[in-house]
Amino acid sequence: MVDAGANAGMATVMLLLDISLRFPLMTMLLLIAALSLRDARHLLQGRLAAGLCISLAAMLANTMPLAMEPPLAWRAIAWITHIPNIALLWLFGLSLFEDDFRMTKMHWLILLAFYPILITMLVSTMIEREGDFILFAVLNRLLGLGVLAHLLWTAIRGYQDDLVEGRRRTRLVFVVAIASAGLVIVGGETYQYFSTGGMADPYWFPLARVVIILPLVIFSIHWFFRMRAEQFVFETLAPAKPAQPSVAPRDQATYARLIAAMSDEKLYREHGLGIGTLAKTLRVPEHQLRALINKGLGYRNFAAFLNQYRLAEAKEALSDPNQARTPILTIAMDAGYASLATFNRAFKTEEGLTPSAFRTEALSSAAQS
């Protein structure tokens, strides 16, 4: 009896603590969504931030303890709205850290894939088909963990070559923290489900979700209240690359060495060339070289800077009748690309054509002239 009374008392304390945190947290998330739409709806990042916050607020409404469950109609709306929260977190992170990010068919497919999975889980529960429920539950967890792992990998992968200092600092502080919280929540739910055979969550589990999300939302509120739309791109909105370099006089000597290293010595041909290695070659501090390429030359990441030289050499080779039989892979590798897939992607982004289509057009024009 004493243990039962103690457990009941602890459950009551947890419930009161949950109420004191959950509803303010939902309010703050909806406020962030409103601020995003007010100040940054013209940016994809702003629209994704609003959708993410609304979906997270719906998740908190959908996972309330039994004692606080809303009416059925509200639960249905919350359930439908909360479904894509993990996918929206993934897309929001990608939009922050990938230059010129655009929603592709693959992104939409993954975003919408959560709906049939969770709907099938719901139907399987209603018609008591446990095998189907377990199968789609596993698929749901794997998909959620997969997109969050990809977000972490994206944030870490681009850290070294990111030339926008504010975004570079944010990679491992903000997005990794959000993705880690998502991994803890999704991973915890997965462990809870399979370790208990699908039993109901313990009384402390809904509160744990709130406690994990709360510090991130408080930080976001602080960030958004002083937000300008430019914060989503981590600098004042401007063309991706200025027409003319704007190099400070004190950086002219470094700029001259940089241009000589690229144009004369063709260091861009080195596979895996990083900004740290280039800084050591030029004998300048890495932070100084980052600032020069970003602020002076207008590049947001080091790969874009290298592509200027690599693509120029590749286009010249593809247009040369004397190299018409040279494999495209050879041209790509000679220009410094580590793989044909990377070269094809960079080339099509720059030219709007595949390398083979570009070569066909260029050699046809040369033959006619």
Side-chain angles (χ1 to χ4, degrees), residues 111-157:
L111 175 64
L112 297 176
F114 284 90
Y115 279 94
I117 292 173
L118 288 182
I119 290 172
T120 303
M121 290 171 60
L122 179 63
V123 172
S124 300
T125 302
M126 295 171 63
I127 63 177
E128 299 182 352
R129 298 190 56 151
E130 185 177 354
D132 291 344
F133 178 85
I134 293 175
L135 174 62
F136 282 91
V138 171
L139 184 58
N140 179 55
R141 301 306 186 197
L142 289 177
L143 184 58
L145 289 170
V147 297
L148 288 174
H150 179 258
L151 176 55
L152 280 170
W153 176 75
T154 300
I156 295 170
R157 178 195 61 179

Short mmCIF file of all heavy atoms in Angstrom, two decimals, residues 111-157:
data_model
loop_
_atom_site.label_atom_id
_atom_site.label_comp_id
_atom_site.label_asym_id
_atom_site.label_seq_id
_atom_site.Cartn_x
_atom_site.Cartn_y
_atom_site.Cartn_z
N LEU A 111 9.25 13.24 -46.94
CA LEU A 111 8.35 13.99 -46.07
C LEU A 111 6.97 13.34 -46.02
O LEU A 111 6.39 13.15 -44.93
CB LEU A 111 8.23 15.44 -46.57
CG LEU A 111 7.23 16.34 -45.85
CD1 LEU A 111 7.63 16.56 -44.40
CD2 LEU A 111 7.09 17.67 -46.58
N LEU A 112 6.45 12.98 -47.18
CA LEU A 112 5.10 12.41 -47.24
C LEU A 112 5.06 10.93 -46.86
O LEU A 112 3.98 10.40 -46.56
CB LEU A 112 4.53 12.60 -48.65
CG LEU A 112 4.35 14.06 -49.09
CD1 LEU A 112 3.89 14.13 -50.54
CD2 LEU A 112 3.36 14.79 -48.18
N ALA A 113 6.23 10.27 -46.86
CA ALA A 113 6.26 8.83 -46.57
C ALA A 113 5.81 8.53 -45.14
O ALA A 113 5.31 7.42 -44.87
CB ALA A 113 7.66 8.28 -46.79
N PHE A 114 5.97 9.49 -44.23
CA PHE A 114 5.58 9.24 -42.85
C PHE A 114 4.06 9.06 -42.71
O PHE A 114 3.61 8.37 -41.81
CB PHE A 114 6.05 10.40 -41.95
CG PHE A 114 7.52 10.36 -41.65
CD1 PHE A 114 8.44 11.00 -42.47
CD2 PHE A 114 7.99 9.67 -40.54
CE1 PHE A 114 9.79 10.97 -42.18
CE2 PHE A 114 9.34 9.63 -40.24
CZ PHE A 114 10.25 10.28 -41.07
N TYR A 115 3.29 9.68 -43.61
CA TYR A 115 1.83 9.60 -43.49
C TYR A 115 1.31 8.19 -43.74
O TYR A 115 0.58 7.64 -42.89
CB TYR A 115 1.17 10.61 -44.43
CG TYR A 115 1.13 12.00 -43.85
CD1 TYR A 115 2.12 12.93 -44.15
CD2 TYR A 115 0.10 12.39 -43.00
CE1 TYR A 115 2.10 14.20 -43.61
CE2 TYR A 115 0.06 13.67 -42.47
CZ TYR A 115 1.06 14.56 -42.76
OH TYR A 115 1.03 15.82 -42.21
N PRO A 116 1.60 7.54 -44.87
CA PRO A 116 1.07 6.19 -45.06
C PRO A 116 1.59 5.20 -44.02
O PRO A 116 0.88 4.27 -43.64
CB PRO A 116 1.54 5.81 -46.48
CG PRO A 116 2.64 6.75 -46.80
CD PRO A 116 2.34 8.01 -46.08
N ILE A 117 2.82 5.42 -43.54
CA ILE A 117 3.37 4.51 -42.53
C ILE A 117 2.56 4.59 -41.24
O ILE A 117 2.11 3.57 -40.69
CB ILE A 117 4.86 4.82 -42.27
CG1 ILE A 117 5.70 4.46 -43.49
CG2 ILE A 117 5.35 4.05 -41.04
CD1 ILE A 117 7.15 4.88 -43.37
N LEU A 118 2.35 5.81 -40.74
CA LEU A 118 1.63 5.97 -39.48
C LEU A 118 0.15 5.65 -39.62
O LEU A 118 -0.48 5.15 -38.69
CB LEU A 118 1.83 7.38 -38.94
CG LEU A 118 3.24 7.67 -38.39
CD1 LEU A 118 3.32 9.08 -37.85
CD2 LEU A 118 3.65 6.69 -37.33
N ILE A 119 -0.42 5.97 -40.78
CA ILE A 119 -1.84 5.62 -40.99
C ILE A 119 -2.01 4.10 -41.00
O ILE A 119 -2.98 3.57 -40.43
CB ILE A 119 -2.35 6.25 -42.30
CG1 ILE A 119 -2.46 7.78 -42.13
CG2 ILE A 119 -3.70 5.67 -42.69
CD1 ILE A 119 -2.77 8.52 -43.42
N THR A 120 -1.07 3.40 -41.63
CA THR A 120 -1.13 1.93 -41.63
C THR A 120 -0.99 1.39 -40.22
O THR A 120 -1.67 0.42 -39.84
CB THR A 120 -0.03 1.36 -42.53
OG1 THR A 120 -0.17 1.90 -43.85
CG2 THR A 120 -0.13 -0.16 -42.60
N MET A 121 -0.12 2.00 -39.42
CA MET A 121 0.02 1.58 -38.01
C MET A 121 -1.30 1.76 -37.27
O MET A 121 -1.72 0.89 -36.49
CB MET A 121 1.13 2.37 -37.34
CG MET A 121 2.54 2.03 -37.80
SD MET A 121 3.79 3.20 -37.16
CE MET A 121 3.57 2.97 -35.40
N LEU A 122 -1.96 2.89 -37.50
CA LEU A 122 -3.23 3.16 -36.83
C LEU A 122 -4.30 2.15 -37.24
O LEU A 122 -5.01 1.60 -36.39
CB LEU A 122 -3.70 4.58 -37.15
CG LEU A 122 -5.04 5.02 -36.54
CD1 LEU A 122 -4.96 5.02 -35.02
CD2 LEU A 122 -5.43 6.39 -37.07
N VAL A 123 -4.40 1.89 -38.54
CA VAL A 123 -5.40 0.93 -39.03
C VAL A 123 -5.09 -0.47 -38.50
O VAL A 123 -6.00 -1.21 -38.11
CB VAL A 123 -5.43 0.93 -40.57
CG1 VAL A 123 -6.32 -0.18 -41.10
CG2 VAL A 123 -5.91 2.29 -41.08
N SER A 124 -3.81 -0.84 -38.45
CA SER A 124 -3.43 -2.15 -37.95
C SER A 124 -3.84 -2.33 -36.49
O SER A 124 -4.26 -3.41 -36.07
CB SER A 124 -1.91 -2.36 -38.09
OG SER A 124 -1.52 -2.28 -39.44
N THR A 125 -3.75 -1.24 -35.72
CA THR A 125 -4.18 -1.30 -34.32
C THR A 125 -5.69 -1.48 -34.23
O THR A 125 -6.19 -2.27 -33.41
CB THR A 125 -3.77 -0.01 -33.58
OG1 THR A 125 -2.35 0.15 -33.67
CG2 THR A 125 -4.17 -0.07 -32.12
N MET A 126 -6.42 -0.78 -35.08
CA MET A 126 -7.88 -0.84 -35.03
C MET A 126 -8.40 -2.22 -35.42
O MET A 126 -9.39 -2.70 -34.86
CB MET A 126 -8.47 0.24 -35.94
CG MET A 126 -8.16 1.67 -35.48
SD MET A 126 -8.63 2.92 -36.69
CE MET A 126 -10.39 2.68 -36.78
N ILE A 127 -7.74 -2.86 -36.38
CA ILE A 127 -8.22 -4.18 -36.83
C ILE A 127 -7.43 -5.32 -36.19
O ILE A 127 -7.57 -6.47 -36.59
CB ILE A 127 -8.15 -4.29 -38.37
CG1 ILE A 127 -6.70 -4.19 -38.87
CG2 ILE A 127 -9.02 -3.24 -39.02
CD1 ILE A 127 -6.57 -4.38 -40.37
N GLU A 128 -6.57 -4.94 -35.20
CA GLU A 128 -5.83 -5.92 -34.39
C GLU A 128 -4.94 -6.83 -35.24
O GLU A 128 -4.93 -8.05 -35.08
CB GLU A 128 -6.80 -6.75 -33.55
CG GLU A 128 -7.61 -5.92 -32.56
CD GLU A 128 -8.53 -6.76 -31.71
OE1 GLU A 128 -8.64 -7.98 -32.00
OE2 GLU A 128 -9.10 -6.22 -30.76
N ARG A 129 -4.17 -6.22 -36.12
CA ARG A 129 -3.17 -6.96 -36.90
C ARG A 129 -1.80 -6.58 -36.37
O ARG A 129 -1.14 -5.66 -36.87
CB ARG A 129 -3.30 -6.67 -38.38
CG ARG A 129 -4.65 -7.09 -38.96
CD ARG A 129 -4.68 -7.02 -40.46
NE ARG A 129 -3.62 -7.79 -41.09
CZ ARG A 129 -3.73 -8.35 -42.30
NH1 ARG A 129 -4.86 -8.27 -42.97
NH2 ARG A 129 -2.72 -8.99 -42.81
N GLU A 130 -1.39 -7.28 -35.33
CA GLU A 130 -0.17 -6.91 -34.61
C GLU A 130 1.07 -7.03 -35.49
O GLU A 130 1.99 -6.21 -35.40
CB GLU A 130 -0.02 -7.79 -33.37
CG GLU A 130 1.17 -7.38 -32.50
CD GLU A 130 1.27 -8.22 -31.24
OE1 GLU A 130 0.35 -9.03 -30.99
OE2 GLU A 130 2.25 -8.05 -30.52
N GLY A 131 1.11 -8.04 -36.36
CA GLY A 131 2.28 -8.22 -37.21
C GLY A 131 2.51 -7.03 -38.13
O GLY A 131 3.64 -6.55 -38.28
N ASP A 132 1.43 -6.55 -38.76
CA ASP A 132 1.55 -5.40 -39.64
C ASP A 132 1.96 -4.16 -38.84
O ASP A 132 2.77 -3.34 -39.30
CB ASP A 132 0.22 -5.13 -40.35
CG ASP A 132 -0.12 -6.21 -41.36
OD1 ASP A 132 0.80 -6.97 -41.73
OD2 ASP A 132 -1.29 -6.29 -41.78
N PHE A 133 1.40 -4.01 -37.65
CA PHE A 133 1.74 -2.85 -36.82
C PHE A 133 3.24 -2.84 -36.49
O PHE A 133 3.90 -1.81 -36.62
CB PHE A 133 0.93 -2.87 -35.52
CG PHE A 133 1.26 -1.73 -34.60
CD1 PHE A 133 0.66 -0.50 -34.75
CD2 PHE A 133 2.21 -1.89 -33.59
CE1 PHE A 133 0.97 0.56 -33.92
CE2 PHE A 133 2.55 -0.84 -32.76
CZ PHE A 133 1.92 0.38 -32.92
N ILE A 134 3.77 -4.00 -36.07
CA ILE A 134 5.19 -4.06 -35.71
C ILE A 134 6.06 -3.76 -36.92
O ILE A 134 7.05 -3.02 -36.82
CB ILE A 134 5.52 -5.45 -35.14
CG1 ILE A 134 4.81 -5.64 -33.79
CG2 ILE A 134 7.03 -5.62 -34.98
CD1 ILE A 134 4.98 -7.03 -33.20
N LEU A 135 5.70 -4.30 -38.09
CA LEU A 135 6.49 -4.05 -39.31
C LEU A 135 6.57 -2.57 -39.63
O LEU A 135 7.66 -2.03 -39.87
CB LEU A 135 5.87 -4.82 -40.48
CG LEU A 135 6.49 -4.56 -41.86
CD1 LEU A 135 7.94 -4.99 -41.87
CD2 LEU A 135 5.69 -5.26 -42.95
N PHE A 136 5.42 -1.89 -39.62
CA PHE A 136 5.43 -0.46 -39.97
C PHE A 136 5.97 0.40 -38.84
O PHE A 136 6.48 1.50 -39.09
CB PHE A 136 4.01 -0.03 -40.38
CG PHE A 136 3.65 -0.45 -41.78
CD1 PHE A 136 3.01 -1.66 -42.03
CD2 PHE A 136 4.00 0.35 -42.86
CE1 PHE A 136 2.70 -2.04 -43.31
CE2 PHE A 136 3.69 -0.03 -44.15
CZ PHE A 136 3.04 -1.24 -44.38
N ALA A 137 5.87 -0.08 -37.60
CA ALA A 137 6.50 0.65 -36.49
C ALA A 137 8.01 0.65 -36.65
O ALA A 137 8.68 1.68 -36.46
CB ALA A 137 6.11 0.03 -35.16
N VAL A 138 8.57 -0.50 -37.02
CA VAL A 138 10.01 -0.58 -37.27
C VAL A 138 10.41 0.32 -38.43
O VAL A 138 11.41 1.05 -38.37
CB VAL A 138 10.42 -2.05 -37.57
CG1 VAL A 138 11.87 -2.12 -38.05
CG2 VAL A 138 10.22 -2.91 -36.33
N LEU A 139 9.61 0.29 -39.51
CA LEU A 139 9.90 1.13 -40.67
C LEU A 139 9.86 2.61 -40.29
O LEU A 139 10.72 3.40 -40.71
CB LEU A 139 8.88 0.85 -41.77
CG LEU A 139 9.08 1.58 -43.10
CD1 LEU A 139 10.43 1.26 -43.69
CD2 LEU A 139 7.97 1.21 -44.08
N ASN A 140 8.88 3.00 -39.48
CA ASN A 140 8.77 4.39 -39.04
C ASN A 140 9.99 4.82 -38.24
O ASN A 140 10.54 5.91 -38.44
CB ASN A 140 7.50 4.56 -38.21
CG ASN A 140 7.33 5.97 -37.70
OD1 ASN A 140 7.34 6.93 -38.46
ND2 ASN A 140 7.18 6.11 -36.39
N ARG A 141 10.41 3.96 -37.29
CA ARG A 141 11.58 4.30 -36.46
C ARG A 141 12.84 4.39 -37.31
O ARG A 141 13.66 5.30 -37.13
CB ARG A 141 11.78 3.25 -35.37
CG ARG A 141 10.62 3.07 -34.43
CD ARG A 141 10.17 4.35 -33.79
NE ARG A 141 9.14 4.11 -32.78
CZ ARG A 141 8.35 5.03 -32.29
NH1 ARG A 141 8.44 6.27 -32.72
NH2 ARG A 141 7.45 4.73 -31.37
N LEU A 142 13.01 3.44 -38.22
CA LEU A 142 14.22 3.45 -39.06
C LEU A 142 14.26 4.70 -39.94
O LEU A 142 15.33 5.30 -40.11
CB LEU A 142 14.26 2.19 -39.92
CG LEU A 142 14.55 0.87 -39.19
CD1 LEU A 142 14.49 -0.30 -40.17
CD2 LEU A 142 15.90 0.91 -38.49
N LEU A 143 13.13 5.08 -40.50
CA LEU A 143 13.09 6.26 -41.35
C LEU A 143 13.40 7.52 -40.53
O LEU A 143 14.18 8.38 -40.96
CB LEU A 143 11.71 6.39 -42.01
CG LEU A 143 11.53 7.54 -43.01
CD1 LEU A 143 12.55 7.45 -44.13
CD2 LEU A 143 10.11 7.54 -43.57
N GLY A 144 12.81 7.62 -39.34
CA GLY A 144 13.08 8.78 -38.49
C GLY A 144 14.52 8.86 -38.06
O GLY A 144 15.16 9.92 -38.14
N LEU A 145 15.08 7.75 -37.60
CA LEU A 145 16.48 7.73 -37.20
C LEU A 145 17.40 7.99 -38.39
O LEU A 145 18.44 8.64 -38.26
CB LEU A 145 16.83 6.39 -36.55
CG LEU A 145 16.22 6.14 -35.17
CD1 LEU A 145 16.43 4.69 -34.75
CD2 LEU A 145 16.81 7.08 -34.13
N GLY A 146 16.99 7.50 -39.57
CA GLY A 146 17.81 7.69 -40.76
C GLY A 146 17.94 9.15 -41.16
O GLY A 146 19.04 9.63 -41.46
N VAL A 147 16.81 9.88 -41.19
CA VAL A 147 16.89 11.29 -41.61
C VAL A 147 17.61 12.13 -40.57
O VAL A 147 18.33 13.08 -40.91
CB VAL A 147 15.49 11.87 -41.91
CG1 VAL A 147 14.85 11.14 -43.07
CG2 VAL A 147 14.58 11.83 -40.69
N LEU A 148 17.48 11.79 -39.28
CA LEU A 148 18.20 12.54 -38.25
C LEU A 148 19.69 12.26 -38.32
O LEU A 148 20.51 13.18 -38.15
CB LEU A 148 17.66 12.18 -36.87
CG LEU A 148 16.27 12.73 -36.53
CD1 LEU A 148 15.79 12.18 -35.20
CD2 LEU A 148 16.27 14.25 -36.49
N ALA A 149 20.06 11.01 -38.58
CA ALA A 149 21.48 10.69 -38.75
C ALA A 149 22.05 11.43 -39.96
O ALA A 149 23.19 11.92 -39.93
CB ALA A 149 21.66 9.18 -38.90
N HIS A 150 21.26 11.52 -41.04
CA HIS A 150 21.72 12.26 -42.22
C HIS A 150 21.91 13.74 -41.90
O HIS A 150 22.86 14.37 -42.39
CB HIS A 150 20.71 12.09 -43.35
CG HIS A 150 21.08 12.84 -44.60
ND1 HIS A 150 20.50 14.04 -44.94
CD2 HIS A 150 22.00 12.57 -45.56
CE1 HIS A 150 21.03 14.46 -46.07
NE2 HIS A 150 21.93 13.59 -46.48
N LEU A 151 21.02 14.31 -41.09
CA LEU A 151 21.17 15.72 -40.70
C LEU A 151 22.45 15.93 -39.91
O LEU A 151 23.20 16.89 -40.14
CB LEU A 151 19.96 16.16 -39.88
CG LEU A 151 20.00 17.59 -39.32
CD1 LEU A 151 20.23 18.61 -40.43
CD2 LEU A 151 18.71 17.90 -38.57
N LEU A 152 22.73 15.03 -38.97
CA LEU A 152 23.98 15.13 -38.21
C LEU A 152 25.19 15.02 -39.12
O LEU A 152 26.15 15.80 -39.01
CB LEU A 152 24.02 14.01 -37.16
CG LEU A 152 23.24 14.25 -35.87
CD1 LEU A 152 23.19 12.96 -35.05
CD2 LEU A 152 23.87 15.35 -35.05
N TRP A 153 25.13 14.07 -40.05
CA TRP A 153 26.25 13.88 -40.98
C TRP A 153 26.45 15.12 -41.85
O TRP A 153 27.57 15.55 -42.10
CB TRP A 153 25.97 12.65 -41.84
CG TRP A 153 27.00 12.41 -42.91
CD1 TRP A 153 28.25 11.93 -42.76
CD2 TRP A 153 26.84 12.67 -44.32
NE1 TRP A 153 28.90 11.84 -43.97
CE2 TRP A 153 28.06 12.30 -44.94
CE3 TRP A 153 25.80 13.16 -45.10
CZ2 TRP A 153 28.25 12.41 -46.31
CZ3 TRP A 153 25.99 13.27 -46.46
CH2 TRP A 153 27.20 12.90 -47.05
N THR A 154 25.35 15.72 -42.31
CA THR A 154 25.43 16.92 -43.14
C THR A 154 26.05 18.08 -42.37
O THR A 154 26.91 18.81 -42.90
CB THR A 154 24.03 17.33 -43.63
OG1 THR A 154 23.47 16.27 -44.41
CG2 THR A 154 24.09 18.60 -44.48
N ALA A 155 25.64 18.26 -41.11
CA ALA A 155 26.18 19.34 -40.30
C ALA A 155 27.67 19.17 -40.06
O ALA A 155 28.44 20.13 -40.15
CB ALA A 155 25.43 19.42 -38.97
N ILE A 156 28.09 17.94 -39.79
CA ILE A 156 29.50 17.69 -39.50
C ILE A 156 30.33 17.72 -40.78
O ILE A 156 31.43 18.27 -40.81
CB ILE A 156 29.65 16.34 -38.78
CG1 ILE A 156 28.98 16.41 -37.41
CG2 ILE A 156 31.12 15.96 -38.62
CD1 ILE A 156 28.85 15.08 -36.72
N ARG A 157 29.79 17.15 -41.86
CA ARG A 157 30.53 17.06 -43.13
C ARG A 157 30.93 18.43 -43.65
O ARG A 157 32.05 18.63 -44.13
CB ARG A 157 29.67 16.35 -44.16
CG ARG A 157 30.31 16.23 -45.55
CD ARG A 157 29.27 15.85 -46.58
NE ARG A 157 28.22 16.85 -46.67
CZ ARG A 157 27.19 16.77 -47.50
NH1 ARG A 157 27.05 15.72 -48.28
NH2 ARG A 157 26.28 17.72 -47.55
#
